[in-house]
Amino acid sequence: MSKLFDKILIANRGEIACRVIRTAKRLGIKTVAVYSEADADALHVRQADEAVFIGPAPATQSYLLIDRIVEACKKTGAQAVHPGYGFLSEKQEFQKALAAAGIAFIGPDAHAIYAMGDKIESKKLAQAAGVSTVPGYLAAIPNADEAVKIANKVGYPVMIKASAGGGGKGMRIAYNDTEAKEGFVSATSEAKSSFADDRVFIEKYVEEPRHIEIQLIADGHGNCLYLWERECSIQRRHQKVIEEAPSPFLDAKTRQAMGEQAVALAKAVQYKSAGTVEFIVDKDRNFYFLEMNTRLQVEHPVTELITGLDLVELMIRVAAGEKLPFKQKDVKLDGWAVEARVYAEDPFRNFLPSTGRLIKYREPEPGSDVRVDTGVYEGGEISMFYDPMIAKLCTYGKTRIAAIDRMRRALDEFYVRGVSHNVPFLAALMAHPRFREGRLTTNFIAEEFKGGFTAKHLPPRDPAVLGAVAAVVERRRDERSGLSLDDRVVMLNRAPLALTITGKESDFVVAVGDRRIHIETDWVPGEPLFHGHGRADRRRGLGLAAVQRGRPGRGAGADAAPGRALCPDAGEGRTRHLEVPAVADARPARVGRRGRRAGGQGGRAARRRRGDEDGECPARGAGRHDQDPPCQGGRQPQGRPEDHRVRLSRWHCRLASPSAAGSSEALIVGDESAVGRMIEACRRGPPFARVDEIDVDPVDLDILPEGFIRLPTV
């Protein structure tokens, strides 16, 4: 066995740099990070043994400068370089420069990078190696008129693609001559600006396609193995969003055929290290070579989870001259893994990138079924200069549905404040029936989220469980002030949900209609995530107990005037009302992010100073709850346990409207869907309304079928 390196340099940043550092440390190898001005305090810099400054924030002046990386290696004595993905990872000039300096490149040789990096040449090589390829014209097209002629010969629809492209750039679909001409112009322009190479070619566009790729690992001794496939069909604008392994579509025969063809292509270019061969697969399981990525893929963790292999370790060992320690028959395929890319972007605003400081950042607790690869930390920055990825979240299960369900729970455990994020969108994907059934194509998002992502796409929640969680949260808050109100009403979009709560400290029973929901939790106010466990069953004979069309002495009764919002801080003896945003009622114009006591308006103490201690809520015009219909409890089979997980957000708002003098306050408690609707209403609302968010607490409840099994709070 060859001696491994003493020190390696990672020519990258963010989560992939941290990922490589983690394996290197486990192997006893010292690590060197490189960083730009924008990354001086980045996580990969903190985790490495050494760090070298390489230039200003723009990548063209730092991470893409080959001479700076080589100089950093010489300065620190690094014997090898891991390029990660992106930046210089697929630049043959980089590998050559390192070789000239006597520094090992943890990746393939320059000739393999060159051969597979050009899409036209790689397709010619694939055909020669007996790999299935998409019909098309494999030569650079000189002009738009020629593009139209070729498209007619191939047959519409066609895909116009940049020869040096990647990441969805320089790609256009054309269904007719006009689109072919326009697509050629836009594809060549984008290719030139992105890759300094405006060559494009045309191939047949496969309709209802799936994007499925084969992971390879090869050494320098003639051994090349395939490590099964990854399904990457969930894409937005040709960018991968969700990946999983294995594919829910392939059968054993197709899987083997794709793996063997991928190996044949790799051997044709004497490939060594980790690499990925991507295929397009049609509805009949016919597959066609797309491209080969001569680097570690973003989505490699799902392969590691189902095989038990560490791809970074294998890359390091191969670069050090070692043989692969196993054969094809030894590669296991155990269970299922799913990866979701958590980005700093606003899905409600057409995925507009979001930059700034991570005021709060907590991630799911890692374990055997949860893995988080990240390059950020609480208090760190999401920079405008680089990819806005926050983390890659991976979950594992023995079955596909188990992995998906674990992903849904893990997504709820993220707590991100300071920047927008796409967690609601990822949660909606995990809950989508078509996704859960495995009926995927690369058009999935375009077909299922026409017009963009909105709050209506968020998964529905059980109102009874949602109300029970809200009641427990408020009960725990009230315990600090000595209150103990049993009867409460949660307003779910103008529908009152009356309930009664008993218990204290960690054990509660919430009666909702004819149901009893038992909740055990060690959550305390101030914790951003609520973890509880419980059981739901039916109970007969329980009345609504609180609000029904103006019952005296209960907050919505004789003292609740039409148009008045029910006050969340009613005095002793009144029913507590917890508002969920009703879009047609408050209609706020905007939501600000101002912290817990923005503008000095927050908290019970502030409300008492303004004279609200008598329990009357002056937020007139915010709703007409005296006309609400009776509570509708959920339906649940007798004695059957439930499995739920919900997320709440506490919104403390100042409301202003023409029907009220000045402004007033109301407490809003809603699930993720309700909060999403409120945000949308804020953006559409009239100018006379204003909402200031001063207290937002995501709340998670996990009710397990087996009863009172406790998980620690975050």
Side-chain angles (χ1 to χ4, degrees):
M1 181 177 291
S2 303
K3 182 181 183 300
L4 293 182
F5 308 106
D6 296 318
K7 183 185 293 187
I8 65 173
L9 181 145
I10 300 95
N12 217 299
R13 63 174 302 279
E15 64 85 13
I16 188 59
C18 295
R19 162 72 187 91
V20 175
I21 290 171
R22 185 166 66 247
T23 289
K25 286 189 173 182
R26 181 173 59 80
L27 296 175
I29 301 172
K30 292 183 179 180
T31 56
V32 180
V34 292
Y35 66 94
S36 67
E37 288 178 349
D39 280 339
D41 295 320
L43 187 61
H44 74 283
V45 176
R46 297 184 175 194
Q47 291 184 348
D49 297 298
E50 300 176 60
V52 179
F53 174 72
I54 55 173
T60 54
Q61 301 175 44
S62 52
Y63 294 106
L64 290 174
L65 295 180
I66 294 175
D67 57 341
R68 298 279 179 89
I69 304 298
V70 174
E71 181 183 342
C73 290
K74 293 178 178 178
K75 179 179 179 180
T76 59
Q79 301 161 310
V81 171
H82 196 298
Y85 54 75
F87 292 140
L88 297 170
S89 62
E90 293 182 283
K91 295 291 185 182
Q92 59 164 327
E93 298 84 0
F94 185 39
Q95 194 273 347
K96 289 180 177 179
L98 291 173
I103 302 166
F105 181 70
I106 304 176
D109 293 332
H111 75 276
I113 296 174
Y114 170 76
M116 292 294 102
D118 185 293
K119 286 183 169 54
I120 294 176
E121 293 303 316
S122 66
K123 288 182 181 295
K124 291 178 179 178
L125 281 169
Q127 287 180 338
V131 178
S132 301
T133 58
V134 180
Y137 183 81
L138 300 182
I141 300 171
N143 54 59
D145 291 334
E146 190 67 19
V148 171
K149 292 179 182 179
I150 293 170
N152 278 280
K153 290 180 181 179
V154 173
Y156 290 109
V158 298
M159 175 77 82
I160 303 170
K161 304 177 70 172
S163 178
K169 296 180 179 179
M171 297 172 61
R172 298 294 185 275
I173 300 171
Y175 287 87
N176 52 52
D177 291 354
T178 301
E179 291 181 358
K181 184 173 290 187
E182 294 174 349
F184 174 85
V185 173
S186 58
T188 53
S189 176
E190 186 173 54
K192 186 173 183 178
S193 63
S194 299
F195 313 112
D197 184 346
D198 63 357
R199 292 177 303 145
V200 299
F201 63 98
I202 286 179
E203 63 184 16
K204 181 72 175 177
Y205 175 64
V206 179
E207 298 190 88
E208 297 186 37
R210 286 176 178 256
H211 184 134
I212 300 176
E213 60 191 29
I214 300 293
Q215 175 67 58
L216 298 176
I217 186 68
D219 60 25
H221 303 275
N223 301 304
C224 183
L225 311 176
Y226 61 92
L227 309 181
W228 315 121
E229 80 279 2
R230 294 186 289 259
E231 174 90 50
C232 307
S233 298
I234 303 300
Q235 302 179 8
R236 190 182 68 84
R237 298 175 181 171
H238 304 293
Q239 296 280 358
K240 299 168 186 174
V241 177
I242 302 291
E243 300 96 353
E244 59 182 297
S247 166
F249 185 62
L250 296 189
D251 54 26
K253 181 180 179 180
T254 308
R255 177 177 293 118
Q256 180 179 347
M258 292 176 69
E260 290 175 349
Q261 288 198 17
V263 168
L265 179 61
K267 287 186 174 181
V269 293
Q270 294 84 49
Y271 194 87
K272 68 175 184 178
S273 194
T276 300
V277 178
E278 299 188 348
F279 293 92
I280 288 293
V281 184
D282 69 17
K283 60 184 179 181
D284 299 316
R285 294 195 179 92
N286 298 309
F287 57 90
Y288 308 97
F289 171 72
L290 182 63
E291 64 181 356
M292 183 174 187
N293 292 307
T294 57
R295 55 172 168 77
L296 191 66
Q297 290 281 81
V298 176
E299 58 272 18
H300 75 275
V302 292
T303 296
E304 294 182 328
L305 287 172
I306 66 167
T307 62
L309 300 172
D310 185 327
L311 289 174
V312 173
E313 177 181 350
L314 291 174
M315 293 178 74
I316 293 173
R317 292 189 179 280
V318 166
E322 292 188 8
K323 290 184 178 181
L324 292 176
F326 52 86
K327 302 294 184 182
Q328 186 66 57
K329 62 182 178 63
D330 302 318
V331 181
K332 67 177 183 178
L333 197 169
D334 182 21
W336 217 284
V338 179
E339 176 180 286
R341 302 188 186 191
V342 180
Y343 278 104
E345 60 187 12
D346 190 345
F348 296 102
R349 292 186 175 181
N350 198 28
F351 298 89
L352 184 70
S354 180
T355 60
R357 186 173 299 279
L358 283 168
I359 297 172
K360 294 289 184 182
Y361 177 72
R362 297 192 188 184
E363 58 194 29
E365 188 71 25
S368 60
D369 57 354
V370 175
R371 170 174 167 174
V372 183
D373 285 15
T374 186
V376 304
Y377 57 91
E378 187 170 289
E381 290 279 340
I382 301 295
S383 173
M384 63 178 288
F385 295 101
Y386 314 113
D387 185 70
M389 180 181 284
I390 295 174
K392 297 184 313 195
L393 174 62
C394 302
T395 56
Y396 173 84
K398 286 298 181 181
T399 65
R400 183 172 185 268
I401 290 300
I404 291 171
D405 288 342
R406 187 65 187 93
M407 175 65 74
R408 293 183 68 179
R409 297 196 300 273
L411 285 169
D412 279 343
E413 293 170 12
F414 264 107
Y415 180 36
V416 180
R417 290 293 182 270
V419 297
S420 299
H421 56 81
N422 67 338
V423 169
F425 177 61
L426 299 174
L429 288 173
M430 292 297 110
H432 199 289
R434 180 178 159 188
F435 176 80
R436 294 175 67 83
E437 292 166 11
R439 295 186 291 111
L440 314 178
T441 74
T442 56
N443 300 319
F444 180 94
I445 291 177
E447 293 170 353
E448 300 298 330
F449 297 89
K450 294 177 180 178
F453 178 70
T454 64
K456 70 180 181 181
H457 294 115
L458 290 166
R461 306 294 190 183
D462 183 332
V465 175
L466 179 59
V469 173
V472 171
V473 168
E474 286 303 295
R475 180 63 163 252
R476 293 305 308 269
R477 295 180 189 274
D478 288 347
E479 287 174 354
R480 290 191 166 189
S481 58
L483 296 176
S484 182
L485 302 178
D486 294 339
D487 295 334
R488 298 169 186 262
V489 172
V490 176
M491 300 302 299
L492 297 173
N493 291 324
R494 298 191 65 192
L497 187 68
L499 48 83
T500 300
I501 180 171
T502 57
K504 60 181 180 178
E505 295 181 350
S506 62
D507 297 286
F508 301 90
V509 177
V510 182
V512 185
D514 60 353
R515 299 169 65 185
R516 290 169 58 89
I517 299 175
H518 305 253
I519 297 176
E520 178 183 349
T521 179
D522 54 6
W523 178 84
V524 295
E527 287 293 324
L529 294 178
F530 178 105
H531 284 241
H533 297 270
R535 181 179 64 245
D537 54 64
R538 293 178 68 87
R539 173 191 179 192
R540 297 189 179 278
L542 179 69
L544 297 183
V547 171
Q548 285 195 37
R549 298 187 182 277
R551 180 172 299 178
R554 287 296 185 183
D559 58 348
R564 177 179 299 172
L566 299 174
C567 183
D569 287 301
E572 194 71 34
R574 298 182 186 273
T575 299
R576 181 64 64 87
H577 290 71
L578 307 177
E579 285 274 334
V580 174
V583 170
D585 292 340
R587 303 205 311 171
R590 65 180 178 85
V591 174
R593 294 186 177 274
R594 301 190 180 181
R596 182 169 293 274
R597 295 187 180 274
Q601 301 296 324
R604 291 192 178 98
R607 287 192 289 280
R608 285 196 294 271
R609 288 194 297 271
R610 290 189 298 275
D612 296 344
E613 62 269 16
D614 62 353
E616 180 173 330
C617 182
R620 300 178 187 275
R624 300 182 60 84
H625 302 298
D626 57 305
Q627 299 177 10
D628 285 327
C631 171
Q632 299 295 323
R635 294 289 181 262
Q636 180 71 13
Q638 178 73 31
R640 180 181 175 182
E642 295 181 309
D643 187 2
H644 290 290
R645 193 174 189 83
V646 300
R647 167 166 291 216
L648 302 180
S649 284
R650 229 176 117 79
W651 294 72
H652 195 287
C653 304
R654 297 182 65 238
L655 305 176
S657 72
S659 61
S663 62
S664 55
E665 298 195 356
L667 180 65
I668 298 175
V669 179
D671 69 353
E672 197 169 295
S673 176
V675 170
R677 289 193 297 272
M678 181 175 184
I679 292 173
E680 288 188 346
C682 291
R683 293 173 181 147
R684 296 194 305 264
F688 58 76
R690 185 176 79 254
V691 176
D692 294 330
E693 170 197 338
I694 67 172
D695 187 0
V696 180
D697 289 334
V699 181
D700 241 345
L701 171 66
D702 200 5
I703 298 182
L704 298 180
E706 300 303 322
F708 302 151
I709 303 173
R710 184 192 300 272
L711 281 179
T713 56
V714 175

